[in-house]
Amino acid sequence: MQRKVKIVADSTCDLNAQMLERYRIEVIPLNVNLGDKSYLDGVTIHTPDLFEYYKKTGQLPTTSAPTPAYYEEFYRRWTDEGWEVVHFSISAELTVTPNIAKMAAEKFDGVYPVDSRNVSSGMGILAVKAAELRDQGYSAAEIAQRIGAMTGKVRTTCVISTLLYMYKGGRCTGVQALGANLLNLKPCIDVKDGKMGVAKKYRGSLKSAVCKLAEDRLKGAENIDLSRLIIAHYDVDNETIEAVRQKIMEYQNFEEIVVGDCGCSVSVHCGPGTFAIVYMEK
């Protein structure tokens, strides 16, 4: 008899509550640290808390990888009840988390960690695909194999309003941050081969930048999986979101466009005014 399959993703998946419930995806909250105190992403701390802390202290919150024991406890809870587990983590090029998940999974039969080779909703869109395969009757092993082969088809790109938080986190120089600010530049960051890199820089408002991003990526593009596109953002106004949604549908007829907030793990590095679009190619 085939065992039940639980689709799991770290809290960095940035899927909204409706998507998690609709596709029955379980989230593992990761650690976010404010000084010497540790909290659970999306459970005991939420994104606005990060920037309130920064305003009060001038210190940037940090994230930390879970221990193998943390994952083991989670896996055991499900495997003891007869479930198989397919677990998605952020790219191993950016964190040690997938390696820790793999280490923990070796102690269990029926637990399959998958390196998403992505971040944020780029991981989330793969978890949704996995849930669809589960509902079609595939086993956990088959799902992990199929989704693992799809990671290169995810297209994740985001526009960042300010480089302040990347500078504070040591991910760019003060000169880069100051130059972008003075020139009113909005860096566009792509995820490729599991790594993040600046693909382009847009000038002007966030609204004009992300509308141009949608045009650059989607206008006339072929071989796109039109089942869904995910918008992940933090602290972006509804007018901008709606303007980009209209631009997206002008260029490609997606069956659904899902909007969700970036959680703590992503926002702490990118800051307010982060706007990402995520979709897949066929």
Side-chain angles (χ1 to χ4, degrees), residues 44-57:
T44 57
I45 191 170
H46 298 85
T47 309
D49 301 325
L50 305 179
F51 302 107
E52 186 63 29
Y53 176 80
Y54 176 70
K55 288 177 184 177
K56 287 181 178 179
T57 67

Side-chain angles (χ1 to χ4, degrees), residues 75-106:
Y75 295 156
R76 187 173 293 109
R77 183 172 48 153
W78 293 106
T79 56
D80 282 354
E81 294 182 5
W83 294 81
E84 291 186 317
V85 176
V86 181
H87 172 204
F88 292 89
S89 298
I90 197 171
S91 172
E93 299 288 346
L94 304 172
T95 177
V96 298
T97 303
N99 296 329
I100 295 171
K102 183 178 180 180
M103 189 186 312
E106 289 174 352

Side-chain angles (χ1 to χ4, degrees), residues 108-149:
F108 298 86
D109 291 327
V111 175
Y112 301 88
V114 178
D115 177 355
S116 71
R117 306 289 293 165
N118 226 285
V119 298
S120 187
S121 297
M123 184 203 330
I125 203 169
L126 289 171
V128 171
K129 284 287 186 184
E132 291 175 332
L133 291 177
R134 172 204 61 204
D135 294 343
Q136 293 171 26
Y138 287 93
S139 69
E142 291 169 329
I143 293 169
Q145 182 180 23
R146 284 173 173 262
I147 298 298

